[in-house]
Amino acid sequence: MTCTGIRAGAVVVAMLAATGTAHAAETLEDEVRTLTNKERTANGCPTLAGNPKLTKSAQAHTDEMAKAGNFSHTGLNGSNPAERIEKAGYVWKAAAENIAFGQKTPTEVVAAWMKSPVHRANILNCSLKELGVGYALDAKKKAYWTQNFGTA
C-alpha cells in the first residue's frame, strides 16, 4: 500500500469513528437490555447498566436450559437464581431472574415479560440497577432467554 493509500485509509477510519458508523452490531442480548431499559424509563425507573457477572450467570443458566430442555428457575443441580448469581461472583443486595422460552426476537421476549405480572415487576423494580442477559438455541432452534437483575 502506498503512503497515499495509508493516509486515505486513516482518514476513512477517522471519519467512521467521528460519525459513530464504525460501531459493532448490537447483539440480541444488548437489544434485550435496550428494550428493557425503554420499558423502565417509560415507567419512571432508571436504566440498567450491563454487568458481566450477571451476564455470565444468565448465559450459563440459559445454556443449561437449552442443552437439557429444562425450562425452570431451578438448575439441574438444584441451584436457584441467587446461588447462580453468587457463583458468577456477583455480590448482591437485591437480585431477580426472568426466563422465557420460544420467543424468536428480543422484541417478542420483552413483550412477553411485560405481559406477565411477575416478570413485569422485575423489569420495573426501580431498586434493581444492573442486568445480564443470556440467549441460546436448543437442538431444535428454539430460543431460551434469561435476565439476571441485581443491585450490588
Side-chain angles (χ1 to χ4, degrees):
M1 184 180 267
T2 66
C3 288
T4 304
I6 292 171
R7 271 187 260 139
V11 169
V12 170
V13 169
M15 287 173 51
L16 289 172
T19 62
T21 308
H23 62 80
E26 188 175 51
T27 66
L28 293 174
E29 296 86 348
D30 290 337
E31 192 174 343
V32 167
R33 189 173 74 245
T34 297
L35 292 168
T36 298
N37 279 330
K38 283 183 183 179
E39 294 291 350
R40 285 173 62 87
T41 58
N43 287 278
C45 291
T47 59
L48 296 161
N51 181 284
K53 291 176 181 175
L54 291 172
T55 298
K56 179 180 176 182
S57 173
Q59 190 61 56
H61 187 58
T62 306
D63 288 341
E64 178 184 279
M65 288 190 300
K67 184 176 179 182
N70 178 44
F71 181 63
S72 175
H73 288 286
T74 303
L76 293 177
N77 65 357
S79 64
N80 65 44
E83 292 167 337
R84 291 189 298 273
I85 288 168
E86 289 172 2
K87 183 179 178 188
Y90 190 83
V91 179
W92 57 272
K93 291 181 184 176
E97 179 175 82
N98 285 347
I99 60 173
F101 167 74
Q103 295 81 8
K104 295 179 183 177
T105 68
T107 300
E108 288 178 16
V109 75
V110 173
W113 282 326
M114 290 302 291
K115 289 177 186 171
S116 162
V118 174
H119 296 102
R120 179 184 177 91
N122 286 339
I123 290 171
L124 300 182
N125 181 339
C126 296
S127 70
L128 296 168
K129 305 297 182 198
E130 298 178 300
L131 177 66
V133 178
Y135 166 79
L137 296 174
D138 68 11
K140 296 178 182 177
K141 305 295 183 201
K142 297 289 184 186
Y144 286 77
W145 305 85
T146 303
Q147 288 182 310
N148 281 159
F149 302 87
T151 300

Short mmCIF file of all heavy atoms in Angstrom, two decimals, residues 18-55:
data_model
loop_
_atom_site.label_atom_id
_atom_site.label_comp_id
_atom_site.label_asym_id
_atom_site.label_seq_id
_atom_site.Cartn_x
_atom_site.Cartn_y
_atom_site.Cartn_z
N ALA A 18 -15.63 9.24 13.95
CA ALA A 18 -16.24 10.52 14.30
C ALA A 18 -17.75 10.50 14.10
O ALA A 18 -18.49 11.13 14.85
CB ALA A 18 -15.62 11.64 13.46
N THR A 19 -18.23 9.77 13.11
CA THR A 19 -19.67 9.74 12.84
C THR A 19 -20.39 8.65 13.61
O THR A 19 -21.60 8.58 13.62
CB THR A 19 -19.94 9.52 11.33
OG1 THR A 19 -19.41 8.25 10.96
CG2 THR A 19 -19.36 10.62 10.49
N GLY A 20 -19.63 7.75 14.25
CA GLY A 20 -20.24 6.68 15.01
C GLY A 20 -20.68 5.52 14.13
O GLY A 20 -21.36 4.61 14.58
N THR A 21 -20.31 5.51 12.88
CA THR A 21 -20.74 4.47 11.95
C THR A 21 -19.96 3.18 12.14
O THR A 21 -20.43 2.12 11.76
CB THR A 21 -20.55 4.97 10.50
OG1 THR A 21 -21.20 6.23 10.39
CG2 THR A 21 -21.15 4.03 9.49
N ALA A 22 -18.82 3.24 12.77
CA ALA A 22 -17.95 2.07 12.86
C ALA A 22 -18.16 1.29 14.16
O ALA A 22 -17.24 0.72 14.69
CB ALA A 22 -16.49 2.50 12.75
N HIS A 23 -19.37 1.26 14.70
CA HIS A 23 -19.61 0.51 15.93
C HIS A 23 -20.00 -0.93 15.61
O HIS A 23 -20.48 -1.24 14.53
CB HIS A 23 -20.68 1.18 16.80
CG HIS A 23 -22.02 1.28 16.14
ND1 HIS A 23 -22.89 0.23 16.09
CD2 HIS A 23 -22.62 2.31 15.50
CE1 HIS A 23 -23.98 0.59 15.45
NE2 HIS A 23 -23.84 1.85 15.07
N ALA A 24 -19.79 -1.78 16.59
CA ALA A 24 -20.14 -3.19 16.42
C ALA A 24 -21.66 -3.33 16.40
O ALA A 24 -22.38 -2.54 17.01
CB ALA A 24 -19.55 -4.01 17.57
N ALA A 25 -22.13 -4.33 15.70
CA ALA A 25 -23.57 -4.59 15.65
C ALA A 25 -24.07 -4.96 17.05
O ALA A 25 -23.39 -5.64 17.81
CB ALA A 25 -23.86 -5.72 14.68
N GLU A 26 -25.26 -4.49 17.38
CA GLU A 26 -25.85 -4.80 18.67
C GLU A 26 -26.23 -6.27 18.71
O GLU A 26 -26.83 -6.79 17.77
CB GLU A 26 -27.09 -3.92 18.88
CG GLU A 26 -27.66 -4.01 20.26
CD GLU A 26 -28.81 -3.04 20.49
OE1 GLU A 26 -29.73 -3.01 19.67
OE2 GLU A 26 -28.75 -2.32 21.49
N THR A 27 -25.87 -6.96 19.79
CA THR A 27 -26.22 -8.37 19.94
C THR A 27 -27.67 -8.49 20.36
O THR A 27 -28.29 -7.51 20.80
CB THR A 27 -25.33 -9.06 20.99
OG1 THR A 27 -25.62 -8.48 22.28
CG2 THR A 27 -23.84 -8.93 20.68
N LEU A 28 -28.21 -9.69 20.27
CA LEU A 28 -29.58 -9.93 20.75
C LEU A 28 -29.68 -9.60 22.23
O LEU A 28 -30.67 -9.01 22.68
CB LEU A 28 -29.99 -11.38 20.50
CG LEU A 28 -30.13 -11.79 19.03
CD1 LEU A 28 -30.40 -13.28 18.94
CD2 LEU A 28 -31.22 -11.00 18.34
N GLU A 29 -28.65 -9.96 22.99
CA GLU A 29 -28.64 -9.68 24.43
C GLU A 29 -28.64 -8.17 24.68
O GLU A 29 -29.35 -7.69 25.57
CB GLU A 29 -27.44 -10.34 25.09
CG GLU A 29 -27.46 -11.85 25.03
CD GLU A 29 -26.86 -12.47 23.77
OE1 GLU A 29 -26.60 -11.74 22.78
OE2 GLU A 29 -26.67 -13.68 23.75
N ASP A 30 -27.84 -7.43 23.91
CA ASP A 30 -27.82 -5.97 24.04
C ASP A 30 -29.19 -5.38 23.71
O ASP A 30 -29.66 -4.45 24.37
CB ASP A 30 -26.78 -5.34 23.11
CG ASP A 30 -25.35 -5.63 23.51
OD1 ASP A 30 -25.09 -5.93 24.69
OD2 ASP A 30 -24.47 -5.55 22.62
N GLU A 31 -29.82 -5.94 22.68
CA GLU A 31 -31.14 -5.45 22.29
C GLU A 31 -32.19 -5.70 23.38
O GLU A 31 -33.04 -4.85 23.64
CB GLU A 31 -31.58 -6.09 20.97
CG GLU A 31 -32.78 -5.41 20.36
CD GLU A 31 -33.14 -5.93 18.98
OE1 GLU A 31 -32.30 -6.58 18.33
OE2 GLU A 31 -34.28 -5.67 18.56
N VAL A 32 -32.09 -6.85 24.05
CA VAL A 32 -33.00 -7.12 25.17
C VAL A 32 -32.78 -6.07 26.27
O VAL A 32 -33.75 -5.54 26.83
CB VAL A 32 -32.81 -8.55 25.72
CG1 VAL A 32 -33.52 -8.72 27.07
CG2 VAL A 32 -33.32 -9.57 24.72
N ARG A 33 -31.53 -5.76 26.58
CA ARG A 33 -31.26 -4.74 27.60
C ARG A 33 -31.79 -3.38 27.16
O ARG A 33 -32.42 -2.66 27.94
CB ARG A 33 -29.77 -4.66 27.93
CG ARG A 33 -29.53 -3.76 29.16
CD ARG A 33 -28.10 -3.75 29.66
NE ARG A 33 -27.26 -2.98 28.75
CZ ARG A 33 -26.27 -3.48 28.02
NH1 ARG A 33 -25.95 -4.75 28.10
NH2 ARG A 33 -25.57 -2.71 27.22
N THR A 34 -31.60 -3.03 25.90
CA THR A 34 -32.10 -1.75 25.38
C THR A 34 -33.62 -1.67 25.49
O THR A 34 -34.18 -0.68 25.97
CB THR A 34 -31.66 -1.56 23.92
OG1 THR A 34 -30.23 -1.50 23.87
CG2 THR A 34 -32.24 -0.30 23.31
N LEU A 35 -34.31 -2.73 25.08
CA LEU A 35 -35.78 -2.76 25.15
C LEU A 35 -36.26 -2.75 26.60
O LEU A 35 -37.27 -2.10 26.93
CB LEU A 35 -36.32 -3.97 24.40
CG LEU A 35 -36.12 -3.94 22.88
CD1 LEU A 35 -36.42 -5.30 22.28
CD2 LEU A 35 -36.97 -2.85 22.25
N THR A 36 -35.56 -3.47 27.46
CA THR A 36 -35.90 -3.47 28.88
C THR A 36 -35.75 -2.07 29.46
O THR A 36 -36.61 -1.60 30.21
CB THR A 36 -35.01 -4.49 29.64
OG1 THR A 36 -35.26 -5.80 29.11
CG2 THR A 36 -35.27 -4.48 31.13
N ASN A 37 -34.68 -1.40 29.09
CA ASN A 37 -34.46 -0.03 29.58
C ASN A 37 -35.51 0.94 29.04
O ASN A 37 -35.90 1.88 29.75
CB ASN A 37 -33.04 0.43 29.26
CG ASN A 37 -32.05 -0.10 30.28
OD1 ASN A 37 -32.40 -0.33 31.43
ND2 ASN A 37 -30.81 -0.31 29.84
N LYS A 38 -36.00 0.72 27.83
CA LYS A 38 -37.07 1.57 27.31
C LYS A 38 -38.33 1.40 28.15
O LYS A 38 -39.01 2.39 28.45
CB LYS A 38 -37.36 1.23 25.84
CG LYS A 38 -36.34 1.78 24.88
CD LYS A 38 -36.71 1.46 23.44
CE LYS A 38 -35.64 1.98 22.50
NZ LYS A 38 -35.94 1.68 21.10
N GLU A 39 -38.64 0.17 28.53
CA GLU A 39 -39.79 -0.07 29.39
C GLU A 39 -39.60 0.60 30.74
O GLU A 39 -40.53 1.19 31.30
CB GLU A 39 -40.04 -1.58 29.57
CG GLU A 39 -40.45 -2.29 28.31
CD GLU A 39 -41.84 -1.93 27.81
OE1 GLU A 39 -42.61 -1.25 28.54
OE2 GLU A 39 -42.18 -2.33 26.69
N ARG A 40 -38.38 0.50 31.28
CA ARG A 40 -38.11 1.09 32.60
C ARG A 40 -38.25 2.61 32.56
O ARG A 40 -38.92 3.20 33.42
CB ARG A 40 -36.72 0.69 33.08
CG ARG A 40 -36.66 -0.76 33.55
CD ARG A 40 -35.24 -1.17 33.87
NE ARG A 40 -34.64 -0.42 34.95
CZ ARG A 40 -34.74 -0.71 36.25
NH1 ARG A 40 -35.45 -1.76 36.64
NH2 ARG A 40 -34.14 0.04 37.16
N THR A 41 -37.63 3.24 31.58
CA THR A 41 -37.68 4.71 31.54
C THR A 41 -39.10 5.20 31.27
O THR A 41 -39.50 6.23 31.81
CB THR A 41 -36.69 5.29 30.51
OG1 THR A 41 -36.97 4.76 29.22
CG2 THR A 41 -35.25 4.99 30.91
N ALA A 42 -39.87 4.45 30.47
CA ALA A 42 -41.26 4.83 30.21
C ALA A 42 -42.11 4.73 31.48
O ALA A 42 -43.18 5.34 31.55
CB ALA A 42 -41.85 3.93 29.11
N ASN A 43 -41.62 3.99 32.46
CA ASN A 43 -42.35 3.80 33.71
C ASN A 43 -41.65 4.44 34.91
O ASN A 43 -41.93 4.08 36.05
CB ASN A 43 -42.58 2.30 33.95
CG ASN A 43 -43.63 1.74 33.03
OD1 ASN A 43 -44.82 1.87 33.29
ND2 ASN A 43 -43.21 1.16 31.91
N GLY A 44 -40.73 5.37 34.64
CA GLY A 44 -40.12 6.15 35.70
C GLY A 44 -38.94 5.54 36.41
O GLY A 44 -38.51 6.05 37.44
N CYS A 45 -38.39 4.44 35.89
CA CYS A 45 -37.21 3.80 36.51
C CYS A 45 -35.95 4.20 35.75
O CYS A 45 -35.98 4.44 34.55
CB CYS A 45 -37.33 2.28 36.46
SG CYS A 45 -38.61 1.61 37.52
N PRO A 46 -34.81 4.22 36.45
CA PRO A 46 -33.55 4.46 35.75
C PRO A 46 -33.16 3.25 34.89
O PRO A 46 -33.64 2.13 35.12
CB PRO A 46 -32.54 4.66 36.89
CG PRO A 46 -33.13 3.94 38.06
CD PRO A 46 -34.62 4.03 37.90
N THR A 47 -32.30 3.50 33.93
CA THR A 47 -31.83 2.40 33.07
C THR A 47 -30.94 1.46 33.86
O THR A 47 -30.33 1.83 34.87
CB THR A 47 -31.06 2.93 31.85
OG1 THR A 47 -29.93 3.68 32.30
CG2 THR A 47 -31.95 3.79 30.96
N LEU A 48 -30.87 0.23 33.39
CA LEU A 48 -29.99 -0.79 33.97
C LEU A 48 -28.67 -0.79 33.24
O LEU A 48 -28.64 -0.80 32.00
CB LEU A 48 -30.64 -2.17 33.83
CG LEU A 48 -31.94 -2.39 34.57
CD1 LEU A 48 -32.69 -3.58 34.00
CD2 LEU A 48 -31.68 -2.57 36.05
N ALA A 49 -27.58 -0.82 33.97
CA ALA A 49 -26.26 -0.97 33.37
C ALA A 49 -26.00 -2.44 33.12
O ALA A 49 -26.44 -3.30 33.89
CB ALA A 49 -25.19 -0.40 34.31
N GLY A 50 -25.30 -2.74 32.06
CA GLY A 50 -24.89 -4.12 31.82
C GLY A 50 -23.84 -4.52 32.85
O GLY A 50 -23.03 -3.69 33.27
N ASN A 51 -23.86 -5.77 33.26
CA ASN A 51 -22.87 -6.27 34.22
C ASN A 51 -22.36 -7.62 33.75
O ASN A 51 -23.17 -8.55 33.57
CB ASN A 51 -23.49 -6.38 35.61
CG ASN A 51 -22.48 -6.88 36.62
OD1 ASN A 51 -22.15 -8.06 36.66
ND2 ASN A 51 -21.97 -5.98 37.44
N PRO A 52 -21.05 -7.77 33.55
CA PRO A 52 -20.51 -9.03 33.03
C PRO A 52 -20.73 -10.24 33.93
O PRO A 52 -20.89 -11.35 33.44
CB PRO A 52 -19.03 -8.74 32.82
CG PRO A 52 -18.73 -7.49 33.56
CD PRO A 52 -20.03 -6.75 33.74
N LYS A 53 -20.77 -10.04 35.23
CA LYS A 53 -21.00 -11.18 36.14
C LYS A 53 -22.45 -11.65 36.05
O LYS A 53 -22.72 -12.86 36.05
CB LYS A 53 -20.62 -10.81 37.57
CG LYS A 53 -19.12 -10.63 37.73
CD LYS A 53 -18.75 -10.17 39.11
CE LYS A 53 -17.23 -9.97 39.20
NZ LYS A 53 -16.84 -9.42 40.50
N LEU A 54 -23.38 -10.71 35.95
CA LEU A 54 -24.78 -11.08 35.77
C LEU A 54 -24.99 -11.73 34.40
O LEU A 54 -25.77 -12.66 34.26
CB LEU A 54 -25.70 -9.87 35.95
CG LEU A 54 -25.81 -9.32 37.37
CD1 LEU A 54 -26.58 -8.01 37.38
CD2 LEU A 54 -26.44 -10.34 38.31
N THR A 55 -24.27 -11.23 33.41
CA THR A 55 -24.33 -11.83 32.07
C THR A 55 -23.80 -13.26 32.11
O THR A 55 -24.41 -14.17 31.52
CB THR A 55 -23.54 -10.99 31.05
OG1 THR A 55 -24.15 -9.69 30.97
CG2 THR A 55 -23.52 -11.63 29.68
#
